[in-house]
Amino acid sequence: MDNYKMKSTAAIAAILSAYTDESEPGAWVAAYSGGKDSTVAFDLLVKALLMLKRNNPALLTRTVYLTTANTGLDFVTDPLKQSELAKIKALVEREELPIEIVEVQAAHDNSFMFLTVGKGYPLPKSRMSRWCTGRLKIEPSQKAHKDIAPVLTLTGVRLSESAERRRNIEARQESEYRSNTELMPIVNFTLDDVWSYLVREGMAWGDAEELGQLYKDATGECGLRQRKAGADEKTDDPCGARTGCIICPVVKIDKSSQEFAKSHPWLQPYVDLRNLMIEMYKDPRNKAGRMRSGKVLEYGQGTFTIKARMALYEAVRQAESDNEELALRYGAEPQKLIYSKELDELIQQQWQTDMDEHPWLEDADEIGLFYETKIKGLANGYQLVWNIHYDMSK
């Protein structure tokens, strides 16, 4: 028997054992991103429930909530995820499985576009300061999970993804597949196991052809090629392509989105927008030199100015217009970053609020020839300093 088949059989057995354990009553949550790992993990659950239905349907009493987050920025994975969710829903209704789909999204005032274009938040710069993940995915998901109060959450984490992931999993493991609150059916899968499963088994609701094509489009190589992969596999394997937010500023060079745009030309305006946003945030003239609270910082630091936010807004709208034009040309669906009238109005209302209540955020050019800087040892803490960035030609 192939290695992935033995692991799949053992995982399904672990799922059935936990699902039918009457000592732990209550709902489950299955976290689903639409990527390869969460797809395999959820498919194993579905196949376990179908097995239970055939052999002992009376035990299908526990509801599983399939939860997924919509960031409003994921133009690469989300169209496929929506298609897969429709297929899953059809399967669930046809087979009468106790599964409910819950899609969550951050409120408008917690969206990426509002926080950056509206309020002038700094761009997330690294994985350690990636505030967007918490605001757009974790917080809305946690709110949904709090309402559901699951006894277990099924995830697609794997030990072989990286050394850091291995340490995190092993720190909370209570048994091979379990932590106190988490069920990890593919914890022992390698990358090769995941793709072997998808290629040879497919999902209960359809084949993995489109999913494999997504990874291929994001790498320029075949996402379904067979190879052995293990520790830190994401850094050296084409199947480890980054899929997610189209304007993610965390990665220095977003090769996945660049490659994806070659086969999806209507996304090129957003690849270009990402690069423009990063350059705008690097320009010290676009920073107010203060925090929103009014605290004085160095020149080129602090909140994105209202003037700069307005310029960024126009760039976003132009990218959306270009996306729509190209999408219609290629027979695709246009996708918007400022995705509703309510969000648009909220952004512009925030500019006005800041001009009324935080006038120091309006325009960094107002700093002029001199600006205040914090000097250690001074009685009042600040002194005026010559602004070497000031444009004398104005």
Side-chain angles (χ1 to χ4, degrees):
M1 183 183 291
D2 289 336
N3 198 33
Y4 84 89
K5 286 193 175 182
M6 291 189 291
K7 292 177 182 178
S8 301
T9 300
I12 288 175
I15 292 170
L16 287 172
S17 175
Y19 185 87
T20 57
D21 185 355
E22 295 181 355
S23 70
E24 286 190 305
W28 281 9
V29 157
Y32 180 71
S33 68
K36 61 188 187 303
D37 294 332
S38 67
T39 295
V40 172
F42 181 65
D43 185 62
L44 288 168
L45 169 65
V46 172
K47 287 172 180 172
L49 296 185
L50 288 171
M51 190 181 299
L52 197 59
K53 179 187 175 184
R54 287 194 299 271
N55 296 292
N56 199 341
L59 294 178
L60 283 175
T61 57
R62 191 191 301 270
T63 302
V64 177
Y65 293 89
L66 179 65
T67 63
T68 186
N70 182 356
T71 65
L73 303 170
D74 189 354
F75 297 162
V76 176
T77 309
D78 195 61
L80 175 60
K81 183 175 74 171
Q82 294 301 325
S83 173
E84 295 298 292
L85 286 174
K87 295 175 186 176
I88 291 169
K89 183 178 180 182
L91 173 70
V92 166
E93 292 176 351
R94 184 171 65 252
E95 298 291 342
E96 298 182 331
L97 297 177
I99 296 173
E100 294 187 23
I101 297 173
V102 179
E103 191 167 9
V104 300
Q105 186 169 18
H108 288 330
D109 62 1
N110 228 11
S111 68
F112 186 85
M113 283 289 105
F114 175 72
L115 295 176
T116 51
V117 182
K119 297 193 79 170
Y121 272 34
L123 291 181
K125 292 182 180 179
S126 69
R127 295 185 185 278
M128 298 301 293
S129 63
R130 193 167 53 181
W131 56 261
C132 48
T133 301
R135 296 292 188 105
L136 304 182
K137 289 185 177 181
I138 297 174
E139 289 179 17
S141 295
Q142 286 179 338
K143 184 178 184 301
H145 293 183
K146 184 178 180 180
D147 294 337
I148 296 168
V151 65
L152 273 182
T153 298
L154 182 137
T155 66
V157 297
R158 296 185 292 111
L159 287 166
S160 68
E161 286 184 81
S162 67
E164 182 182 2
R165 179 57 63 89
R166 177 178 287 274
R167 287 192 296 270
N168 289 339
I169 293 172
E170 290 177 342
R172 61 182 188 270
Q173 267 181 319
E174 294 186 347
S175 62
E176 186 175 9
Y177 297 101
R178 286 283 304 270
S179 73
N180 184 43
T181 60
E182 189 177 5
L183 183 63
M184 303 170 279
I186 65 168
V187 67
N188 297 320
F189 278 48
T190 64
L191 186 64
D192 185 59
D193 294 326
V194 169
W195 283 112
S196 293
Y197 182 96
L198 289 169
V199 172
R200 299 177 188 177
E201 306 297 324
M203 295 88 74
W205 57 89
D207 61 47
E209 184 176 345
E210 288 182 274
L211 182 61
Q213 187 65 42
L214 182 146
Y215 280 87
K216 178 181 177 181
D217 289 343
T219 60
E221 300 184 49
C222 182
L224 300 181
R225 74 186 180 104
Q226 300 300 300
R227 71 182 293 278
K228 297 295 179 184
D232 295 317
E233 59 199 24
K234 279 192 173 183
T235 64
D236 59 12
D237 188 83
C239 294
R242 186 194 76 81
T243 55
C245 301
I246 191 71
I247 57 170
C248 178
V250 175
V251 287
K252 291 182 180 179
I253 301 175
D254 192 355
K255 293 180 180 178
S256 291
S257 292
Q258 290 173 355
E259 197 66 41
F260 198 79
K262 291 179 182 178
S263 55
H264 299 69
W266 54 94
L267 294 183
Q268 186 62 47
Y270 292 133
V271 174
D272 296 338
L273 175 66
R274 169 193 177 275
N275 298 332
L276 173 65
M277 289 180 71
I278 292 173
E279 289 305 311
M280 287 183 71
Y281 271 80
K282 286 180 180 178
D283 190 333
R285 293 169 297 180
N286 290 332
K287 304 290 182 62
R290 297 194 189 194
M291 297 175 64
R292 293 185 59 80
S293 64
K295 180 180 178 181
V296 178
L297 302 172
E298 296 284 341
Y299 182 80
Q301 296 180 353
T303 304
F304 217 48
T305 67
I306 300 168
K307 180 180 179 181
R309 286 178 248 165
M310 290 177 171
L312 178 56
Y313 173 89
E314 293 302 323
V316 170
R317 285 307 200 192
Q318 183 60 56
E320 289 179 333
S321 176
D322 294 343
N323 165 261
E324 182 175 14
E325 180 181 342
L326 287 167
L328 293 175
R329 187 184 304 172
Y330 285 93
E333 277 293 320
Q335 295 158 292
K336 287 187 176 295
L337 289 167
I338 301 176
Y339 47 80
S340 71
K341 181 181 178 182
E342 291 76 16
L343 176 56
D344 190 2
E345 291 174 348
L346 197 64
I347 288 170
Q348 299 192 53
Q349 286 169 5
Q350 185 61 48
W351 298 339
Q352 188 60 54
T353 299
D354 279 355
M355 282 190 279
D356 294 341
E357 300 179 6
H358 311 287
W360 54 86
L361 298 178
E362 185 171 355
D363 187 355
D365 288 340
E366 294 301 317
I367 294 171
L369 289 172
F370 298 92
Y371 68 95
E372 286 183 307
T373 188
K374 193 169 185 178
I375 303 294
K376 188 175 181 180
L378 287 185
N380 63 2
Y382 296 93
Q383 86 173 29
L384 286 175
V385 178
W386 173 258
N387 180 4
I388 61 172
H389 301 279
Y390 187 74
D391 186 355
M392 294 288 291
S393 64
K394 294 179 184 178

